Amino acid sequence: MSTCLAKRRVRAGSLIAAVCVATLGLAPPAAALHADASAERLQRLDAMLKVTAIRCENTGDDFQADYRTFSRVHRGDLDLAARRVRADYVHLYGVKNGVRALDRLYGVMVNQYGAGHPWLNCAQLRQVTQGLAIAVGRDPLVEAAGQLLPYRQPASAFAAH
């Protein structure tokens, strides 16, 4: 098991430890994270919910209306996260290459969730989306992203300082 689990302070009832184990025991060293890695996590959460909502459309657990509610309620936080991620990529790679890297990131996200979520089915994703739609503020979204998404080191964490 990763030493990250022993070092992380986790709120009671949190599933972060389970997610670290579920993602092959890989966990990020805290120092490696970019100061606002949560922006990319929010963008990934939004993409995952959007893509899986489309995928689950023809099942008994269609949650596109729930996703639209989530998206509308949290539009400000999601837009801010998208602007921050874009600014990070442009800062790291320049305008042209930053936009290309961002396009690749979006393609990876769509392909990753086009086959479904790694461990949640449509009914569970619907429940998650309904809960996130009534969540207040950015923090619950960031926490949910940490629990629901397989970990990926943000590109911005590799910036030379």
Side-chain angles (χ1 to χ4, degrees):
M1 188 178 303
S2 171
T3 57
C4 166
L5 295 178
K7 293 179 181 178
R8 289 184 90 160
R9 293 184 334 193
V10 180
R11 285 192 263 173
S14 177
L15 297 175
I16 292 175
V19 171
C20 287
V21 172
T23 57
L24 304 174
L26 299 176
L33 289 176
H34 180 265
D36 194 24
S38 61
E40 188 170 320
R41 287 185 182 149
L42 285 182
Q43 234 184 344
R44 287 178 167 278
L45 176 68
D46 185 36
M48 182 273 292
L49 292 174
K50 182 185 298 183
V51 171
T52 56
I54 292 168
R55 183 182 177 280
C56 294
E57 177 181 20
N58 295 321
T59 70
D61 295 301
D62 179 4
F63 62 95
Q64 287 194 57
D66 301 304
Y67 169 74
R68 286 190 297 273
T69 301
F70 160 80
S71 182
R72 185 180 67 252
V73 167
H74 297 292
R75 180 55 34 212
D77 289 323
L78 297 173
D79 286 347
L80 179 59
R83 286 193 303 272
R84 286 183 177 165
V85 170
R86 185 181 193 289
D88 274 354
Y89 275 67
V90 167
H91 175 75
L92 286 171
Y93 305 114
V95 174
K96 186 176 181 180
N97 290 331
V99 170
R100 285 182 184 161
L102 213 47
D103 286 345
R104 281 191 302 274
L105 173 66
Y106 296 145
V108 166
M109 286 190 286
V110 168
N111 290 332
Q112 181 178 10
Y113 297 110
H117 190 277
W119 62 85
L120 297 176
N121 62 34
C122 291
Q124 293 165 323
L125 287 164
R126 182 178 191 174
Q127 290 176 339
V128 166
T129 306
Q130 289 170 343
L132 291 175
I134 60 172
V136 177
R138 183 178 197 257
D139 291 342
L141 304 183
V142 173
E143 184 173 341
Q147 295 172 12
L148 298 170
L149 304 175
Y151 178 74
R152 178 194 170 276
Q153 183 75 27
S156 54
F158 297 107
H161 294 274

Coordinates of all heavy atoms in Angstrom, one line a residue, residues 78-137:
L78 N -17.0 25.3 -12.7 CA -16.6 24.5 -13.8 C -15.9 25.4 -14.8 O -14.8 25.1 -15.4 CB -17.7 23.7 -14.4 CG -18.3 22.7 -13.5 CD1 -19.6 22.1 -14.1 CD2 -17.3 21.6 -13.1
D79 N -16.5 26.6 -15.1 CA -15.9 27.5 -16.1 C -14.5 28.0 -15.5 O -13.6 28.2 -16.3 CB -16.8 28.7 -16.4 CG -18.0 28.3 -17.3 OD1 -17.9 27.2 -17.9 OD2 -18.9 29.1 -17.4
L80 N -14.5 28.4 -14.3 CA -13.2 28.9 -13.7 C -12.1 27.8 -13.8 O -11.0 28.1 -14.1 CB -13.4 29.3 -12.2 CG -12.2 29.8 -11.5 CD1 -11.6 31.0 -12.2 CD2 -12.6 30.1 -10.0
A81 N -12.5 26.5 -13.5 CA -11.5 25.4 -13.6 C -11.0 25.3 -15.0 O -9.8 25.1 -15.2 CB -12.2 24.1 -13.1
A82 N -11.9 25.4 -16.0 CA -11.5 25.3 -17.4 C -10.6 26.4 -17.8 O -9.5 26.2 -18.4 CB -12.7 25.3 -18.3
R83 N -10.8 27.6 -17.3 CA -9.9 28.7 -17.6 C -8.6 28.6 -16.9 O -7.5 28.8 -17.5 CB -10.6 30.1 -17.1 CG -11.7 30.5 -18.0 CD -12.1 32.0 -17.8 NE -12.5 32.2 -16.4 CZ -13.7 32.1 -15.9 NH1 -14.7 31.7 -16.7 NH2 -14.0 32.3 -14.6
R84 N -8.5 28.0 -15.7 CA -7.3 27.8 -15.0 C -6.4 26.7 -15.7 O -5.2 26.8 -15.8 CB -7.5 27.5 -13.5 CG -7.9 28.7 -12.7 CD -8.1 28.3 -11.3 NE -8.4 29.5 -10.5 CZ -8.9 29.5 -9.3 NH1 -9.1 28.3 -8.7 NH2 -9.1 30.6 -8.7
V85 N -7.1 25.7 -16.1 CA -6.4 24.6 -16.8 C -5.8 25.1 -18.1 O -4.7 24.8 -18.4 CB -7.3 23.3 -17.0 CG1 -6.6 22.3 -17.9 CG2 -7.6 22.7 -15.7
R86 N -6.6 25.8 -18.8 CA -6.1 26.4 -20.1 C -4.9 27.3 -19.9 O -3.9 27.2 -20.6 CB -7.2 27.1 -20.8 CG -6.8 27.6 -22.2 CD -7.9 28.4 -22.9 NE -7.6 28.6 -24.3 CZ -6.7 29.4 -24.8 NH1 -5.9 30.1 -24.0 NH2 -6.5 29.6 -26.1
A87 N -5.0 28.2 -18.9 CA -3.9 29.1 -18.6 C -2.7 28.3 -18.2 O -1.6 28.7 -18.6 CB -4.3 30.0 -17.4
D88 N -2.8 27.2 -17.4 CA -1.7 26.4 -17.0 C -1.0 25.8 -18.3 O 0.2 25.8 -18.4 CB -2.1 25.3 -16.1 CG -2.1 25.7 -14.6 OD1 -1.6 26.8 -14.3 OD2 -2.5 24.8 -13.8
Y89 N -1.8 25.2 -19.2 CA -1.3 24.6 -20.3 C -0.6 25.6 -21.3 O 0.4 25.3 -21.8 CB -2.4 23.8 -21.1 CG -2.6 22.4 -20.5 CD1 -3.1 22.2 -19.2 CD2 -2.3 21.3 -21.3 CE1 -3.3 20.9 -18.7 CE2 -2.4 20.0 -20.8 CZ -2.9 19.8 -19.5 OH -3.1 18.6 -19.0
V90 N -1.2 26.8 -21.4 CA -0.6 27.8 -22.3 C 0.7 28.3 -21.6 O 1.7 28.5 -22.3 CB -1.6 29.0 -22.5 CG1 -0.9 30.2 -23.1 CG2 -2.8 28.5 -23.4
H91 N 0.7 28.4 -20.3 CA 1.9 28.8 -19.6 C 3.0 27.8 -19.8 O 4.2 28.2 -20.0 CB 1.6 29.1 -18.2 CG 2.8 29.4 -17.3 ND1 3.5 30.6 -17.4 CD2 3.6 28.6 -16.5 CE1 4.5 30.6 -16.6 NE2 4.6 29.4 -16.0
L92 N 2.7 26.5 -19.7 CA 3.7 25.5 -19.8 C 4.2 25.3 -21.2 O 5.4 25.0 -21.4 CB 3.1 24.2 -19.3 CG 3.0 24.0 -17.8 CD1 2.2 22.8 -17.5 CD2 4.3 24.0 -17.1
Y93 N 3.3 25.3 -22.2 CA 3.6 24.8 -23.5 C 3.5 25.9 -24.6 O 3.8 25.7 -25.8 CB 2.7 23.7 -24.0 CG 2.7 22.5 -23.0 CD1 1.6 22.2 -22.2 CD2 3.9 21.8 -22.8 CE1 1.6 21.2 -21.3 CE2 3.9 20.7 -21.9 CZ 2.7 20.4 -21.2 OH 2.7 19.4 -20.3
G94 N 3.1 27.1 -24.2 CA 2.9 28.2 -25.2 C 1.5 28.1 -25.8 O 0.8 27.0 -25.5
V95 N 1.0 29.1 -26.5 CA -0.3 29.1 -26.9 C -0.7 27.9 -27.8 O -1.6 27.2 -27.6 CB -0.7 30.5 -27.6 CG1 -2.1 30.4 -28.2 CG2 -0.5 31.6 -26.6
K96 N 0.1 27.8 -28.9 CA -0.2 26.8 -29.9 C -0.1 25.4 -29.3 O -1.0 24.6 -29.5 CB 0.7 26.9 -31.1 CG 0.4 26.0 -32.3 CD 1.3 26.3 -33.4 CE 1.0 25.5 -34.6 NZ 1.9 25.8 -35.8
N97 N 1.0 25.0 -28.7 CA 1.2 23.7 -28.1 C 0.3 23.5 -26.9 O -0.1 22.3 -26.7 CB 2.6 23.5 -27.8 CG 3.5 23.4 -29.1 OD1 3.0 22.9 -30.1 ND2 4.8 23.8 -29.0
G98 N 0.0 24.5 -26.2 CA -0.9 24.4 -25.0 C -2.3 24.0 -25.4 O -2.9 23.1 -24.8
V99 N -2.8 24.6 -26.5 CA -4.1 24.3 -27.0 C -4.1 22.9 -27.5 O -5.1 22.1 -27.3 CB -4.5 25.3 -28.1 CG1 -5.8 24.9 -28.8 CG2 -4.8 26.7 -27.4
R100 N -3.0 22.5 -28.2 CA -3.0 21.1 -28.7 C -3.0 20.1 -27.6 O -3.6 19.1 -27.6 CB -1.7 20.9 -29.6 CG -1.8 21.5 -30.9 CD -0.5 21.2 -31.7 NE -0.5 21.9 -33.0 CZ 0.5 22.1 -33.7 NH1 1.7 21.8 -33.3 NH2 0.4 22.8 -34.9
A101 N -2.2 20.4 -26.5 CA -2.1 19.5 -25.4 C -3.5 19.4 -24.7 O -3.9 18.3 -24.3 CB -1.0 20.0 -24.4
L102 N -4.2 20.5 -24.6 CA -5.5 20.5 -24.0 C -6.5 19.7 -24.9 O -7.3 18.9 -24.3 CB -6.0 22.0 -23.9 CG -6.9 22.3 -22.7 CD1 -6.3 21.8 -21.4 CD2 -7.0 23.8 -22.7
D103 N -6.4 19.8 -26.2 CA -7.2 19.0 -27.1 C -7.0 17.5 -26.9 O -7.9 16.7 -26.8 CB -7.0 19.4 -28.5 CG -7.6 20.7 -28.9 OD1 -8.5 21.2 -28.1 OD2 -7.2 21.3 -30.0
R104 N -5.7 17.2 -26.7 CA -5.3 15.8 -26.5 C -5.9 15.3 -25.1 O -6.4 14.2 -25.0 CB -3.8 15.6 -26.5 CG -3.3 15.5 -27.9 CD -1.8 15.0 -27.9 NE -0.9 15.8 -27.1 CZ -0.3 16.9 -27.6 NH1 -0.5 17.3 -28.8 NH2 0.5 17.6 -26.8
L105 N -5.8 16.2 -24.1 CA -6.4 15.8 -22.8 C -7.9 15.6 -22.9 O -8.4 14.6 -22.4 CB -6.1 17.0 -21.8 CG -6.8 16.8 -20.4 CD1 -6.2 15.7 -19.7 CD2 -6.6 18.1 -19.6
Y106 N -8.6 16.4 -23.6 CA -10.0 16.2 -23.8 C -10.3 14.9 -24.5 O -11.2 14.2 -24.1 CB -10.7 17.4 -24.5 CG -10.6 18.7 -23.8 CD1 -10.4 19.9 -24.5 CD2 -10.7 18.8 -22.4 CE1 -10.4 21.1 -23.8 CE2 -10.6 20.0 -21.7 CZ -10.4 21.2 -22.4 OH -10.4 22.3 -21.8
G107 N -9.5 14.6 -25.5 CA -9.7 13.4 -26.3 C -9.5 12.2 -25.4 O -10.3 11.2 -25.4
V108 N -8.5 12.2 -24.6 CA -8.2 11.1 -23.6 C -9.4 11.0 -22.6 O -9.8 9.8 -22.4 CB -6.9 11.4 -22.9 CG1 -6.7 10.5 -21.7 CG2 -5.7 11.2 -23.8
M109 N -9.9 12.1 -22.1 CA -11.0 12.0 -21.2 C -12.2 11.4 -21.8 O -12.9 10.5 -21.2 CB -11.3 13.4 -20.6 CG -10.3 13.9 -19.6 SD -10.8 15.4 -18.8 CE -10.7 16.6 -20.0
V110 N -12.5 11.8 -23.0 CA -13.7 11.3 -23.7 C -13.5 9.8 -24.0 O -14.5 9.0 -23.7 CB -14.0 12.1 -25.0 CG1 -15.0 11.3 -25.9 CG2 -14.5 13.5 -24.7
N111 N -12.4 9.4 -24.4 CA -12.1 8.0 -24.7 C -12.1 7.2 -23.5 O -12.6 6.0 -23.4 CB -10.8 7.8 -25.5 CG -10.9 8.3 -26.9 OD1 -12.0 8.3 -27.5 ND2 -9.8 8.8 -27.4
Q112 N -11.6 7.7 -22.4 CA -11.5 7.0 -21.1 C -12.9 6.6 -20.6 O -13.1 5.5 -20.1 CB -10.7 7.8 -20.1 CG -10.5 7.1 -18.8 CD -9.7 8.0 -17.8 OE1 -9.4 9.1 -18.0 NE2 -9.4 7.4 -16.7
Y113 N -13.8 7.5 -20.7 CA -15.1 7.3 -20.1 C -16.2 6.9 -21.1 O -17.3 6.6 -20.7 CB -15.6 8.5 -19.3 CG -14.6 8.8 -18.1 CD1 -13.8 9.9 -18.1 CD2 -14.5 7.9 -17.1 CE1 -12.9 10.1 -17.1 CE2 -13.7 8.0 -16.1 CZ -12.8 9.1 -16.1 OH -12.0 9.3 -15.0
G114 N -15.8 6.8 -22.4 CA -16.7 6.4 -23.4 C -17.2 4.9 -23.2 O -18.3 4.6 -23.5
A115 N -16.3 4.2 -22.6 CA -16.7 2.8 -22.3 C -17.3 2.6 -20.9 O -17.6 1.5 -20.5 CB -15.4 1.9 -22.4
G116 N -17.5 3.7 -20.2 CA -18.1 3.7 -18.9 C -17.0 4.0 -17.8 O -15.9 4.1 -18.0
H117 N -17.5 4.2 -16.6 CA -16.7 4.4 -15.4 C -16.0 3.1 -15.0 O -16.6 2.1 -15.1 CB -17.6 5.0 -14.3 CG -16.7 5.5 -13.2 ND1 -16.3 4.7 -12.2 CD2 -16.3 6.8 -12.9 CE1 -15.6 5.4 -11.3 NE2 -15.6 6.7 -11.7
P118 N -14.8 3.2 -14.6 CA -14.0 2.0 -14.2 C -14.7 1.1 -13.1 O -14.6 -0.1 -13.2 CB -12.7 2.5 -13.7 CG -12.6 3.8 -14.2 CD -13.9 4.4 -14.4
W119 N -15.4 1.7 -12.2 CA -16.0 0.9 -11.1 C -17.4 1.2 -10.7 O -18.0 0.6 -9.9 CB -15.1 0.8 -9.9 CG -14.9 2.2 -9.2 CD1 -15.7 2.8 -8.3 CD2 -13.8 3.0 -9.4 NE1 -15.2 4.0 -7.9 CE2 -14.0 4.2 -8.6 CE3 -12.6 3.0 -10.2 CZ2 -13.1 5.2 -8.6 CZ3 -11.7 4.0 -10.2 CH2 -12.0 5.1 -9.4
L120 N -18.0 2.2 -11.4 CA -19.4 2.6 -11.1 C -20.3 2.3 -12.3 O -19.9 2.6 -13.4 CB -19.5 4.1 -10.7 CG -18.8 4.6 -9.5 CD1 -18.9 6.1 -9.3 CD2 -19.3 3.8 -8.2
N121 N -21.5 1.8 -12.0 CA -22.4 1.5 -13.1 C -23.3 2.8 -13.3 O -23.2 3.8 -12.5 CB -23.3 0.3 -12.8 CG -24.1 0.3 -11.6 OD1 -24.6 1.4 -11.2 ND2 -24.3 -0.8 -10.9
C122 N -24.2 2.7 -14.2 CA -25.1 3.9 -14.5 C -25.9 4.3 -13.4 O -26.1 5.5 -13.1 CB -25.9 3.6 -15.8 SG -25.0 3.5 -17.3
A123 N -26.5 3.3 -12.6 CA -27.3 3.7 -11.5 C -26.5 4.4 -10.4 O -27.0 5.4 -9.8 CB -27.9 2.4 -10.9
Q124 N -25.3 3.9 -10.2 CA -24.5 4.6 -9.2 C -24.0 6.0 -9.6 O -24.0 6.9 -8.8 CB -23.2 3.7 -8.9 CG -23.6 2.4 -8.2 CD -22.5 1.4 -8.2 OE1 -21.7 1.3 -9.2 NE2 -22.3 0.6 -7.2
L125 N -23.7 6.1 -10.9 CA -23.3 7.4 -11.5 C -24.5 8.4 -11.4 O -24.3 9.6 -11.1 CB -22.9 7.3 -12.9 CG -21.5 6.6 -13.1 CD1 -21.3 6.2 -14.5 CD2 -20.4 7.6 -12.6
R126 N -25.7 7.9 -11.6 CA -26.9 8.7 -11.4 C -27.0 9.3 -10.0 O -27.2 10.5 -9.8 CB -28.1 8.0 -11.8 CG -29.4 8.8 -11.8 CD -30.6 8.1 -12.2 NE -31.7 9.0 -12.3 CZ -32.9 8.7 -12.8 NH1 -33.1 7.5 -13.2 NH2 -33.8 9.6 -12.9
Q127 N -26.8 8.4 -9.0 CA -26.9 8.8 -7.6 C -25.8 9.8 -7.3 O -26.1 10.8 -6.6 CB -26.7 7.6 -6.7 CG -27.9 6.7 -6.7 CD -27.7 5.5 -5.9 OE1 -26.6 5.1 -5.6 NE2 -28.8 4.8 -5.4
V128 N -24.6 9.6 -7.8 CA -23.5 10.5 -7.6 C -23.8 11.9 -8.2 O -23.7 12.9 -7.5 CB -22.2 10.0 -8.2 CG1 -21.1 11.1 -8.3 CG2 -21.7 8.8 -7.3
T129 N -24.3 11.9 -9.4 CA -24.6 13.1 -10.1 C -25.7 13.9 -9.4 O -25.7 15.1 -9.2 CB -25.0 12.9 -11.5 OG1 -24.0 12.1 -12.2 CG2 -25.2 14.1 -12.3
Q130 N -26.7 13.2 -8.9 CA -27.8 13.8 -8.2 C -27.3 14.5 -6.9 O -27.7 15.6 -6.5 CB -28.9 12.8 -7.8 CG -29.7 12.4 -9.0 CD -30.7 11.3 -8.8 OE1 -30.5 10.5 -7.8 NE2 -31.6 11.1 -9.7
G131 N -26.4 13.8 -6.2 CA -25.8 14.3 -5.0 C -24.9 15.5 -5.3 O -25.0 16.5 -4.5
L132 N -24.2 15.5 -6.3 CA -23.3 16.6 -6.7 C -24.1 17.8 -7.1 O -23.7 18.9 -7.0 CB -22.3 16.2 -7.7 CG -21.2 15.2 -7.3 CD1 -20.3 14.8 -8.5 CD2 -20.4 15.8 -6.2
A133 N -25.3 17.6 -7.7 CA -26.1 18.7 -8.2 C -26.6 19.5 -7.0 O -26.9 20.7 -7.2 CB -27.3 18.1 -9.0
I134 N -26.7 18.9 -5.8 CA -27.2 19.7 -4.7 C -26.1 20.1 -3.7 O -26.3 20.8 -2.7 CB -28.3 18.9 -3.9 CG1 -27.8 17.6 -3.4 CG2 -29.5 18.7 -4.7 CD1 -28.7 16.9 -2.4
A135 N -24.8 19.7 -4.1 CA -23.7 20.1 -3.3 C -23.5 21.6 -3.4 O -23.8 22.2 -4.4 CB -22.4 19.4 -3.8
V136 N -23.0 22.2 -2.3 CA -22.8 23.6 -2.3 C -21.3 23.9 -2.3 O -20.5 23.4 -1.5 CB -23.4 24.2 -1.0 CG1 -23.1 25.7 -0.9 CG2 -24.9 23.9 -0.9
G137 N -20.9 24.7 -3.3 CA -19.5 25.1 -3.4 C -18.6 24.2 -4.2 O -19.0 23.1 -4.6

